[in-house]
């Protein structure tokens, strides 16, 4: 696998080179394998790839100097110790590969590792970039060239076999646009590091198969068959040490460590190098740790690898790998970088596919829309255009609903009254309300339902999640889930032209479900009212449908702007409004000025204490954190504090629960992903299995899974579809009467209904059955829950409490972004407090928009579609009816009634984009001096 870290310490860099240049590994004496130059940028410096690297040249790069002229290489030449000297990308072989290559001395494997590692680093080189700061810009520009050095090692500090290559990439890259050397920007390289890992594993596995070695998949990659897990574990002492050090520190600090903190802890805990030991002595030390029987076993594995290629048990061809990858990556994204599709294909066909051939298939496939390294599909693009078309075709199709209605609720605000009037006067089939957090959407919807009823219309209220639907019901609005409406034929049969479908939290509706909803509305001639906020979280599934409609269609909506939730806390209210207007850092500054931002090394303890204090005051409170690792740590602190304050009993029951792995449908159908011990938990009826039944995976057999049913009987199960079950890990959860639990699946049994995302209170536990404080009982076989004291931002979106506590320590900061910050801080009515151990870094992270693109937003696609008349020019902000335009001017911009014509026009646009990309690629390939490679 590939890992990376940076080096800023000049003396350490010099020491690093001296050790790596003169020794083949950390301990050898006289076994010299010197470092060698790598990188496309070498030719500009009169250096050649593959040549031995010299000490003077290495240190010149560390000092940011040209290795020949001695002149400064890049503009920035800091000597204050803050400049990165280089990035160390380390490519490590699987443990079984290291054992056979080093301990059993199979040099063929060493050569295979070297070749595979070099191919992987070449793939990452295409993502090398420079920063662009000219003319007020703040972006990255791809350069595709590096300057670096490769060093090979075969042992760890604990003398275990560990075959790995260090790729030292100096902090410089040549920017052809500015025609000068600049600092290396590795952001995308780090983003694509898992892709680089899979490139390495695919190449290595392919070469091992050619040598005659058989491989088997593991949860973390692959291993060579015949090398037992016991031997692999015995030669993983350093890994065991690292786990122990990290666990000890996390227990001491009471929180998870960040990657940087782990790196520091691991560095400090490193054993001293053992100098003066030869390669032969190191190998003998390793051989002494295996028995005669184990030695015979390993020797047999090497002997059988006689150069005759092995046959793979379950072969996968390149098209199958690509089909799987397409289904997997596009389930939750409309556009992806090409490397993500390649990564999934390589993972599926590891050792059986060729990277170059996969790239050719993507380029030649008419199915993909490929622009500037990003991909979507024609199907996705068609789907997005279909949504826009339905909305635009529905303009002015109906009469006003109730234009002269006088609201019953005299306390409605001006913007709420305007929203009611707008919806009731609209002639459009599909219209909506953009309701910012805390602006009283429920009160507005309740008033609209009165008006609909008065005008003789039948209303169906729904929401995309069970918890959102439950919140509507709590506010007095009868509601169901959108999914139920889409599958329940009895409900659908009651829809007519007099029906109005109201969708709350519409920003969380996926493109696929929105298209189904719109198709149903068109078929039944029903109206649709969308109520949501595109500034909050979107659907997990593909497509930000509401944002797509607001930006590219002629969808008309009105906006609620007056904040009611934080009325009693004016300064807090201002901060929430700033966040709603995407001014996250300004909102953060307002909260900081209020004293609501707490920076501390004991983040989780302080957050837990604040949470307990709110509960003791009789207030409703919520802890929100971006990652489950942090949530688990927070939960431990909260439960300990509750017990200390006698608010939670000590009578703990250990219950088995199922924690979902969040697999896509493609992953669920892929037998290669399953390992023994995983649990298949059904969330609805599937064949002979009822909802909440579970199966435990025993093994993978042929084209099915051997599973153990709840009655103990073993059968074969074939996961043809992933729609009815989740793949989970089984774990033990300590539960005490008085605990809060977060339900993670819907459950309906014995006349009782439980909602996914609902927080419930445990009253008692009787022989594994959980009795709740509201009188309900969780079925014994329902095991999809966790502690409910702290929740993720997605789970918090539909909740309102008096006090909200946002917790974001260093390990969680990569998951922070603008819309998450907005959702989190807006949950409270009276108080919001933020707990972090790095205030400045958190302030920076909350400005990250982190928005998924829709297919239309691919570079070049948007302009081509606007020019072709398939969409309108993108717009920002609210949209209301244009009183000066006529119905004829507000019709769809394409050719009326011609879906075939629209399909032809889209095909022309896609062909134009492919031709444009091909011309750009050809031009760049011809200009080799620019140093940019197009893959």
């Amino acid at each position: 696998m590939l890992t990376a870290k940076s080096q800023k310490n000049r003396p350490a860099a010099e020491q690093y080179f001296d050790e790596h240049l003169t020794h083949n590994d950390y301990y050898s004496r006289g076994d010299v394998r010197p470092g060698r130059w790598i990188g496309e940028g070498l030719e500009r410096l009169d250096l050649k790839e593959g040549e031995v690297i010299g000490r003077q040249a290495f240190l010149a790069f560390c000092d940011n100097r040209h290795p020949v002229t001695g002149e400064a290489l890049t503009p920035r030449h800091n000597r204050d110790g803050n400049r990165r000297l280089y990035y160390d990308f380390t490519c490590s072989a699987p443990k079984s590969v290291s054992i056979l290559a080093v301990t059993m001395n199979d040099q063929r494997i060493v050569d295979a590792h070297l070749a595979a590692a070099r191919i992987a680093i070449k793939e990452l080189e295409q993502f090398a970039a420079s920063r662009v700061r000219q003319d007020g810009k703040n972006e990255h520009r791809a350069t595709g060239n590096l300057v670096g050095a490769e060093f090979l090692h075969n042992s760890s500090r604990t003398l275990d076999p560990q075959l790995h290559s260090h790729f030292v990439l100096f902090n410089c890259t040549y920017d052809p646009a500015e025609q000068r050397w600049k600092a290396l920007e590795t952001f995308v390289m780090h983003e694509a590091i898992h892709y680089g890992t899979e490139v390495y594993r695919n190449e290595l596995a392919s070469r091992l198969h050619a040598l005659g070695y058989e491989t088997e998949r593991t949860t973390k990659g692959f291993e060579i068959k015949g090398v037992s897990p016991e031997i692999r574990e015995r030669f993983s002492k350093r890994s065991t040490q690292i786990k122990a050090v990290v666990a000890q520190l996390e227990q001491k600090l009471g929180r998870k460590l960040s990657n940087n903190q782990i790196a520091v802890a691991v560095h400090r805990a490193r054993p001293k190098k053992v100098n003066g030991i030869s390669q032969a002595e190191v190998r003998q030390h390793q051989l002494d740790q295996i028995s005669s029987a184990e030695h015979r076993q390993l020797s047999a594995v090497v002997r059988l690898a006689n150069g005759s290629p092995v046959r793979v048990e379950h072969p996968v061809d390149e098209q199958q790998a690509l089909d799987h990858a397409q289904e997997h990556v596009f389930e939750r994204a409309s556009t992806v970088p090409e490397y993500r599709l390649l990564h999934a294909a390589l993972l599926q066909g590891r050792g059986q596919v060729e990277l170059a051939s996969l790239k050719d298939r993507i380029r030649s496939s008419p199915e993909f829309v490929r622009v500037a390294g990003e991909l979507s599909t024609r199907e996705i693009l068609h789907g997005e255009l279909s949504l826009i078309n339905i909305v635009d075709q529905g303009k002015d199709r109906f009469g006003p609903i109730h234009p002269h209605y006088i609201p019953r609720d005299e306390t409605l605000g001006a913007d709420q009254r305007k929203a009611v009037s707008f919806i009731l006067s609209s002639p459009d089939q599909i219209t909506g309300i953009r309701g910012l957090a805390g602006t009283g959407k429920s009160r507005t919807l309740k008033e609209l339902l009165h008006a609909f009823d008065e005008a003789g219309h039948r209303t169906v209220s729904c929401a995309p999640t069970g918890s959102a639907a439950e919140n509507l019901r709590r506010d007095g609005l009868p509601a169901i889930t959108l999914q139920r409406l889409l599958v329940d034929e009895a409900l659908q049969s009651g829809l007519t032209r007099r029906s109005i479908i109201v969708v709350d939290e519409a920003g969380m509706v996926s493109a696929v479900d929105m298209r189904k909803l719109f198709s149903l509305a068109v078929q039944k001639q029903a109206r649709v009212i969308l109520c949501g906020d595109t500034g909050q979280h979107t659907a997990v599934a593909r497509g930000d449908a509401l944002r797509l409609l607001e930006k590219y269609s002629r969808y008309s909506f009105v906006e609620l702007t007056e904040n009611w939730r934080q009325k009693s806390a004016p300064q807090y209210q201002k901060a929430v409004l700033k966040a709603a207007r995407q001014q996250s850092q300004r909102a953060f500054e307002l909260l900081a000025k209020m004293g609501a931002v707490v920076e501390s090394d004991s983040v989780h303890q302080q957050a837990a204490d604040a949470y307990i204090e709110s509960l003791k005051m009789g207030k409703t409170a919520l802890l929100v954190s971006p990652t489950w690792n942090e949530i688990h740590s927070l939960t431990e602190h909260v439960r300990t504090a509750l017990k200390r304050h006698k608010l939670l009993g000590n009578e703990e029951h250990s219950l088995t629960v199922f924690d979902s792995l969040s697999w896509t449908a493609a992953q669920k159908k892929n037998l290669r992903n399953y390992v023994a011990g995983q649990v298949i938990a059904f969330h609805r009826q599937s064949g002979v299995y009822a909802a909440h039944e579970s199966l435990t995976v025993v093994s993978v057999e042929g084209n099915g899974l051997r599973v153990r049913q709840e009655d103990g009987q073993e059968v074969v199960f074939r996961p043809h579809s992933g729609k009815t079950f989740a793949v989970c890990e089984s774990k033990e959860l300590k539960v005490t009467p008085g605990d809060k639990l977060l339900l993670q699946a819907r459950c309906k049994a014995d006349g009782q209904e439980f909602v996914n995302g609902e927080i419930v209170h445990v009253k008692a536990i009787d022989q594994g059955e959980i009795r709740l404080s509201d009188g309900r009982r969780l079925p014994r076989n329902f095991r999809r829950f966790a502690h409910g004291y702290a929740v993720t931002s997605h789970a918090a979106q539909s909740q309102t409490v008096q006090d909200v506590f946002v917790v974001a320590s260093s390990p969680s900061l990569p998951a922070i972004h603008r819309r998450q910050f907005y959702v989190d801080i807006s949950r409270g009515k009276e108080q919001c407090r933020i707990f972090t151990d790095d205030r400045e870094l958190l302030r920076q992270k909350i400005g990250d928009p982190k928005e998924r693109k829709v297919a239309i937003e691919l570079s070049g696609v948007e302009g081509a579609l606007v020019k072709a008349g398939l969409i309108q020019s993108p717009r920002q902000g609210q949209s209301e009816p244009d009183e000066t335009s006529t119905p004829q001017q507000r019709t769809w911009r394409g050719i009326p009634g011609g879906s075939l014509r629209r399909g032809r026009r889209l095909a022309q646009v896609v062909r134009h984009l492919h031709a444009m990309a091909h011309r750009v690629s050809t031009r760049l390939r011809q200009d080799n001096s620019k140093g940019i490679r197009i893959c």
Side-chain angles (χ1 to χ4, degrees):
M1 64 178 294
L2 276 163
T3 57
K5 62 181 180 181
S6 61
Q7 175 64 270
K8 291 184 177 181
N9 189 306
R10 173 61 168 75
E14 186 171 354
Q15 181 184 3
Y16 179 88
F17 175 78
D18 288 340
E19 292 170 352
H20 287 64
L21 174 66
T22 57
H23 299 295
N24 179 31
D25 55 47
Y26 289 114
Y27 317 96
S28 62
R29 181 178 59 216
D31 301 317
V32 178
R33 187 191 288 267
R36 297 185 181 276
W37 290 113
I38 61 166
E40 295 288 327
L42 292 169
E43 291 185 10
R44 294 183 178 276
L45 300 168
D46 297 324
L47 299 172
K48 291 186 178 179
E49 197 158 13
E51 286 188 345
V52 174
I53 182 171
R55 186 177 193 276
Q56 183 178 353
F58 182 94
L59 296 179
F61 279 114
C62 289
D63 294 331
N64 193 30
R65 290 186 288 108
H66 193 292
V68 178
T69 66
E71 297 176 352
L73 199 59
T74 70
R76 187 177 178 186
H77 199 68
N78 287 358
R79 296 186 181 276
D80 57 4
N82 288 324
R83 182 183 180 275
R84 288 181 178 86
L85 308 181
Y86 57 74
Y87 299 87
D88 184 357
F89 280 72
T90 305
C91 187
S92 304
K95 183 55 69 175
S96 60
V97 173
S98 295
I99 292 169
L100 296 182
V102 181
T103 310
M104 302 307 295
N105 201 28
D106 190 343
Q107 191 61 38
R108 300 173 303 167
I109 296 180
V110 177
D111 295 336
H113 161 79
L114 279 169
R118 287 167 182 165
I119 290 172
I121 206 68
K122 280 290 183 186
E123 276 301 300
L124 288 185
E125 185 174 17
Q126 68 179 301
F127 304 118
S130 66
R131 297 174 184 172
V132 180
R133 300 293 185 266
Q134 296 177 338
D135 303 322
K137 294 180 180 178
N138 186 8
E139 57 191 41
H140 302 147
R141 179 189 294 127
T143 60
N145 65 83
L146 296 166
V147 176
E150 173 198 65
F151 301 98
L152 178 69
H153 291 258
N154 58 24
S155 299
S156 70
R157 288 174 177 260
T158 53
L159 301 182
D160 286 335
Q162 184 183 334
L163 183 62
H164 60 287
S165 294
H166 288 275
F167 294 99
V168 176
L169 309 180
F170 295 104
N171 190 14
C172 61
T173 184
Y174 187 79
D175 187 337
E178 298 181 30
Q179 297 185 355
R180 60 172 178 157
W181 289 94
K182 297 174 64 177
L184 173 65
E185 174 53 62
T186 60
F187 176 78
V188 182
M189 293 180 68
H190 281 85
E191 289 264 305
I193 201 165
H194 295 301
Y195 164 63
T197 293
E198 209 49 55
V199 170
Y200 165 71
R201 287 173 176 165
N202 180 65
E203 296 291 340
L204 179 61
S206 177
R207 283 166 169 75
L208 292 172
H209 293 164
L211 292 174
Y213 285 108
E214 289 187 74
T215 62
E216 57 186 355
R217 287 178 178 256
T218 65
T219 54
K220 295 184 178 180
F222 77 89
E223 300 288 351
I224 294 177
K225 281 187 178 180
V227 183
S228 69
E230 293 77 18
I231 296 176
R232 300 200 304 260
E233 184 65 26
R234 194 179 308 153
F235 286 126
S236 302
K237 299 181 192 68
R238 182 64 177 139
S239 176
T240 303
Q241 288 176 354
I242 290 170
K243 289 177 183 177
V245 169
V246 171
Q248 185 179 12
L249 273 174
E250 288 182 340
Q251 184 176 10
K252 180 180 178 181
L253 296 173
R255 60 180 172 82
K256 294 291 182 181
L257 299 181
S258 68
N259 290 336
N260 285 338
Q261 289 168 327
I262 289 174
V264 171
V266 168
H267 180 79
R268 289 175 178 172
R270 290 188 305 175
K272 291 184 178 179
K273 296 176 183 177
V274 183
N275 294 314
I277 299 180
S278 70
Q279 176 90 0
E281 289 171 318
V282 172
R283 182 167 172 263
Q284 186 58 51
H285 172 76
Q286 295 166 1
L287 289 169
D288 289 343
Q289 298 178 62
I290 59 177
S291 67
S292 298
E294 289 171 332
H295 189 276
R296 287 194 299 272
Q297 175 193 352
L298 296 176
S299 296
V301 173
V302 176
R303 187 171 58 253
L304 288 172
N306 57 10
S308 298
V310 296
R311 292 183 61 186
V312 179
E313 188 175 353
H314 301 291
V316 176
D317 63 34
E318 287 166 353
Q319 191 56 53
Q320 289 172 327
L322 204 53
D323 289 344
H324 165 82
Q326 182 176 340
E327 182 183 1
H328 169 62
V329 301
F330 289 118
E331 179 175 317
R332 296 174 181 171
S334 299
T335 69
V336 296
E338 185 182 48
Y339 70 77
R340 277 192 56 196
L341 185 70
L342 290 168
H343 172 255
L346 292 171
L347 191 62
Q348 174 72 358
R350 184 187 293 143
Q352 304 177 60
V353 296
E354 292 185 7
L355 180 60
S357 181
L358 286 174
K359 290 181 178 179
D360 287 341
R361 284 179 180 269
I362 292 173
R363 292 192 190 104
S364 61
S365 172
E367 172 61 22
F368 294 111
V369 180
R370 181 178 184 272
V371 182
E374 286 194 284
L375 294 170
S376 188
T377 69
R378 283 177 181 248
E379 180 185 1
I380 292 172
L381 197 52
H382 271 294
E384 292 177 359
L385 291 172
S386 173
L387 282 175
I388 293 169
N389 183 30
I390 291 173
V391 169
D392 290 350
Q393 291 279 31
K395 299 290 288 184
D396 303 304
R397 291 286 300 275
F398 292 76
I401 299 171
H402 198 339
H404 305 298
Y405 176 77
I406 299 175
R408 301 181 182 183
D409 187 350
E410 297 180 355
T411 66
L412 288 179
D415 60 337
Q416 292 171 319
R417 289 176 175 273
K418 179 181 178 183
V420 169
S421 175
F422 172 80
I423 295 296
L424 296 179
S425 301
S426 174
D428 299 341
Q429 183 174 18
I430 299 168
T431 188
I433 300 171
R434 178 192 280 177
L436 304 180
T439 53
K441 291 181 298 227
S442 296
R443 289 177 61 203
T444 306
L445 289 178
K446 193 179 293 186
E447 190 64 48
L448 281 170
L449 261 60
H450 284 309
F452 297 158
D453 184 60
E454 189 176 287
H457 290 273
R458 175 175 177 263
T459 306
V460 178
S461 301
C462 55
T465 66
S467 57
E470 176 63 23
N471 286 336
L472 284 177
R473 290 193 289 270
R474 231 182 269 130
D475 290 333
L477 299 166
I480 58 173
T481 62
L482 174 60
Q483 193 60 37
R484 181 182 169 189
L485 175 63
L486 296 179
V487 300
D488 192 325
E489 293 182 1
L491 276 172
Q492 295 176 10
S493 64
L495 296 176
T496 67
R497 189 176 175 84
R498 302 291 296 176
S499 298
I500 299 175
I501 303 170
V502 177
V503 183
D504 193 26
E505 297 288 358
M508 297 185 73
V509 179
S510 70
V512 173
D513 283 347
M514 191 73 85
R515 190 175 180 184
K516 290 178 182 177
L517 170 66
F518 284 2
S519 297
L520 176 64
V522 169
Q523 177 190 347
K524 300 293 185 177
Q525 298 187 57
R527 302 174 83 136
V528 177
I529 311 296
L530 301 176
C531 186
D533 180 6
T534 52
Q536 299 188 54
H537 289 304
T538 58
V540 174
R542 179 185 74 226
D544 298 354
L546 186 59
R547 186 172 66 84
L548 172 80
L549 297 177
E550 287 185 2
K551 189 173 181 180
Y552 294 107
S553 77
R554 302 190 66 251
Y555 166 67
S556 297
F557 61 96
V558 66
E559 188 168 21
L560 296 175
T561 57
E562 186 176 355
N563 181 291
W564 293 82
R565 185 177 294 165
Q566 290 88 27
K567 275 285 187 182
S568 62
Q571 293 303 310
Y572 177 22
Q573 182 186 53
K574 286 181 182 178
V576 172
L577 288 173
K578 291 291 183 185
R581 298 301 182 192
Q582 301 185 358
Q583 299 173 25
S584 303
Q585 293 175 342
R586 180 69 184 121
F588 186 85
E589 290 163 5
L590 287 172
L591 290 170
K593 194 176 293 185
M594 294 164 51
V597 179
V598 179
E599 186 176 40
S600 168
D601 289 333
S602 54
V603 174
H604 297 166
Q605 186 60 59
Q606 291 203 22
D609 290 343
Y611 175 79
I612 299 296
E613 193 60 35
S614 281
L615 294 184
K616 289 170 69 176
M617 294 171 64
K619 301 168 87 175
T620 56
L622 187 68
L623 285 161
V624 188
S625 183
T627 65
W628 275 106
N629 278 340
E630 186 148 63
I631 285 171
H632 293 324
S633 180
L634 275 168
T635 298
E636 286 301 312
H637 280 80
V638 169
R639 294 184 79 245
T640 299
L642 286 171
K643 290 174 183 177
R644 188 171 63 248
H645 290 284
K646 310 298 183 185
L647 298 174
L648 192 64
N650 292 311
E651 180 195 349
E652 289 200 325
H653 298 255
S654 185
L655 302 178
T656 300
V657 296
F658 303 146
D659 190 15
S660 174
L661 296 172
S662 299
W663 283 3
T664 63
Q667 288 174 306
K668 294 176 191 176
K669 291 186 288 186
N670 183 7
L671 296 180
R672 291 174 175 80
N673 290 328
Y674 291 88
V675 296
Q678 290 173 337
V679 175
I680 295 170
F682 292 92
H683 46 74
R684 69 170 186 252
Q685 179 79 32
S686 178
V688 298
Y689 299 109
H692 310 303
E693 280 196 71
S694 62
L695 308 172
T696 302
V697 177
V698 177
S699 62
V700 180
E701 292 188 1
N703 62 347
L705 301 171
R706 177 157 291 280
V707 297
R708 186 181 301 108
Q709 299 178 151
E710 291 179 359
D711 60 6
Q713 182 181 356
E714 291 190 5
V715 297
V716 174
F717 174 73
R718 294 180 175 84
H720 295 305
S721 170
K723 295 181 179 180
T724 60
F725 65 88
V727 181
C728 306
E729 288 181 333
S730 176
K731 65 179 185 180
E732 296 301 305
L733 188 73
K734 301 291 185 182
V735 181
T736 301
D739 261 327
K740 285 183 181 181
L741 298 180
L742 172 68
L743 305 187
Q744 296 177 311
R746 179 176 175 269
C747 178
K748 194 172 184 179
D750 300 327
Q752 302 176 118
E753 186 169 357
F754 302 91
V755 176
N756 184 5
E758 184 180 358
I759 293 179
V760 298
H761 293 77
V762 178
K763 182 178 182 181
I765 302 168
D766 183 16
Q767 297 181 346
E769 182 183 68
I770 300 175
R771 286 190 281 131
L772 304 179
S773 58
D774 60 9
R776 293 179 297 170
R777 295 170 180 255
L778 282 175
R780 292 180 188 274
N781 65 347
F782 181 77
R783 288 294 178 261
R784 296 289 305 282
F785 55 80
H787 286 123
Y789 300 102
V791 299
T792 62
S793 186
H794 271 86
Q797 177 154 316
S798 58
Q799 299 198 38
T800 302
V801 292
Q802 288 170 293
D803 295 345
V804 64
F805 304 103
V806 182
V807 186
S809 63
S810 297
S812 297
L813 292 183
I816 296 288
H817 50 84
R818 186 171 65 200
R819 67 175 69 230
Q820 182 167 39
F821 174 73
Y822 167 41
V823 170
D824 292 354
I825 70 167
S826 61
R827 298 306 96 197
K829 291 181 178 178
E830 300 173 9
Q831 179 188 193
C832 168
R833 294 178 71 187
I834 300 171
F835 295 85
T836 182
D837 59 355
D838 195 328
R839 175 170 166 166
E840 180 54 30
L841 187 55
L842 175 61
R843 192 187 71 82
Q844 295 174 23
K845 289 296 295 180
I846 61 174
D848 182 0
K850 213 166 190 174
E851 283 191 348
R852 299 185 298 187
K853 284 185 179 179
V854 293
I856 287 172
E857 290 173 319
L858 277 174
S859 176
V861 173
E862 180 186 279
L865 293 174
V866 170
K867 187 175 181 180
L870 291 170
I871 62 172
Q872 72 166 19
S873 297
R875 61 180 176 179
Q876 301 292 335
Q878 71 180 55
S879 170
E880 297 185 7
D882 181 358
E883 296 178 359
T884 63
S885 61
T886 65
Q888 289 74 25
Q889 291 172 321
R890 296 202 297 264
T891 56
W892 184 70
R893 296 183 62 178
I895 299 172
S899 60
L900 178 62
R901 294 288 296 277
R902 290 193 294 276
R904 287 174 179 169
R905 185 172 293 189
L906 174 59
Q908 292 171 356
V909 170
V910 172
R911 285 196 297 272
H912 165 72
L913 291 167
H914 278 301
M916 179 178 67
H918 176 71
R919 288 196 300 273
V920 171
S921 300
T922 302
R923 188 164 63 248
L924 289 173
R925 285 195 186 96
Q926 291 170 346
D927 189 0
N928 292 327
S929 63
K930 291 189 175 182
I932 298 179
R933 296 180 296 111
I934 303 296
C935 297

